[in-house]
Amino acid sequence: MDEKFMKIAIAEAKKSSERGRCGAVITRDGIVISTAHNTQRSSNDASAHAEINAIRLAGQKLGNKYLEGCTIYCTCEPCTMCLSAIVFAKIGRIVYGLSFSDMFPDGMFYEKDMELFLSKAAHKIEVVKNFMKKECAGLIH
């Protein structure tokens, strides 16, 4: 099931015109709730990351800011802003492809300790790292 949804996230990322194309899918009980890609430049909104866009759409669709029981699939490791939104939305599972160190091998971006960050969350969040990493690597150019 994870592979099916990550393939949707990859297809969504390909719609992005950003240099680092990212896609996200939110599911619950094996059903896609929302899909999105990053749109910072086209929307002139620095917060328009794929994960944030997907969370906004899922909340609207479900009529609730809490996305309990949901999984978010991300082609890239969520940044701190996106992790915060995931925590606030009460998403219970994250599956991501590329890590920050894969995306920014020269260290031009900050490192964060995802486990430490999530250990402070009010609820348990399962994380599956580097899922379909090879397939996600082609999205960065």
Side-chain angles (χ1 to χ4, degrees), residues 111-128:
E111 280 293 320
K112 68 177 176 338
D113 186 337
M114 180 185 270
E115 286 77 23
L116 177 62
F117 185 94
L118 293 178
S119 73
K120 307 295 183 186
H123 66 285
K124 171 87 172 100
I125 300 175
E126 176 189 349
V127 179
V128 178

Side-chain angles (χ1 to χ4, degrees), residues 73-113:
Y73 295 84
C74 316
T75 57
C76 303
E77 179 180 353
C79 70
T80 304
M81 174 183 68
C82 293
L83 276 177
S84 295
I86 289 166
V87 169
F88 291 142
K90 299 186 178 184
I91 293 173
R93 187 166 180 258
I94 302 167
V95 179
Y96 74 83
L98 293 176
S99 68
F100 270 9
S101 59
D102 295 321
M103 295 165 53
F104 306 103
D106 58 1
M108 73 175 232
F109 209 75
Y110 66 93
E111 280 293 320
K112 68 177 176 338
D113 186 337

